[in-house]
Amino acid sequence: SEDWELWFRVLANYGIKTDNRISARMFNHNDRSVMAEAQQIKLVQRKELALKYAFEDEAVKRNFGKWYKTIDAFGESYIALHLVLIGNNKLGIKHLKKFVRGYPMGIFTRRFLVIVKCIIFNLFKSRA
């Protein structure tokens, strides 16, 4: 979550130039620290701390204050994703609902679809 805070402050204070070239790759594996910590309490704490510290920066407040609710909602989708990845559909769905309430257009995002896919996969896996 310190990455989130850092990038919010970098973007708010300096801006970022972007293009469509792929310049990084992330490998998802079970040894990632976020997967080891994929407990609701720790994930929620990480999201809350990242937002708290990032929004203590005046530039972040000025540039992203109007987006706070949406940013918080996407944090809920992050929590939901990691909970369903470890098979916790019940809590994952709870956080997915918070995401959709905070950002209704989120149902059209790739992450939403991945979360739903994982939920369905977990249901079939538990019945097998």
Side-chain angles (χ1 to χ4, degrees):
S1 54
E2 63 274 0
D3 294 350
W4 301 343
E5 176 199 352
L6 169 71
W7 286 110
F8 276 122
R9 289 193 288 144
V10 167
L11 183 59
N13 286 285
Y14 305 104
I16 295 177
K17 300 239 186 257
T18 64
D19 64 34
N20 290 329
R21 289 179 288 177
I22 296 172
S23 60
R25 172 180 263 172
M26 185 176 103
F27 291 97
N28 199 12
H29 55 86
N30 291 335
D31 292 334
R32 288 182 55 216
S33 63
V34 72
M35 295 306 289
E37 295 179 2
Q39 303 166 15
Q40 181 188 16
I41 293 170
K42 286 188 178 187
L43 290 170
V44 170
Q45 288 172 340
R46 287 175 66 160
K47 178 197 71 140
E48 290 174 355
L49 286 172
L51 290 174
K52 175 185 180 282
Y53 291 125
F55 279 85
E56 286 178 354
D57 185 295
E58 290 301 318
V60 171
K61 278 193 253 185
R62 183 176 58 254
N63 289 303
F64 301 118
K66 67 182 180 183
W67 298 103
Y68 185 89
K69 185 177 174 183
T70 302
I71 294 166
D72 185 45
F74 271 90
E76 293 295 335
S77 74
Y78 179 84
I79 294 167
L81 174 63
H82 286 83
L83 288 169
V84 299
L85 282 173
I86 63 164
N88 193 335
N89 275 4
K90 184 177 179 182
L91 290 176
I93 290 168
K94 173 185 168 186
H95 289 279
L96 185 61
K97 287 178 183 177
K98 287 183 179 183
F99 169 51
V100 173
R101 276 195 300 272
Y103 183 66
M105 295 299 290
I107 64 171
F108 300 108
T109 64
R110 176 180 262 164
R111 183 179 289 174
F112 178 86
L113 296 174
V114 168
I115 295 168
V116 171
K117 175 184 167 187
C118 288
I119 290 168
I120 293 167
F121 179 76
N122 289 342
L123 289 173
F124 282 110
K125 189 167 67 172
S126 69
R127 292 184 182 172

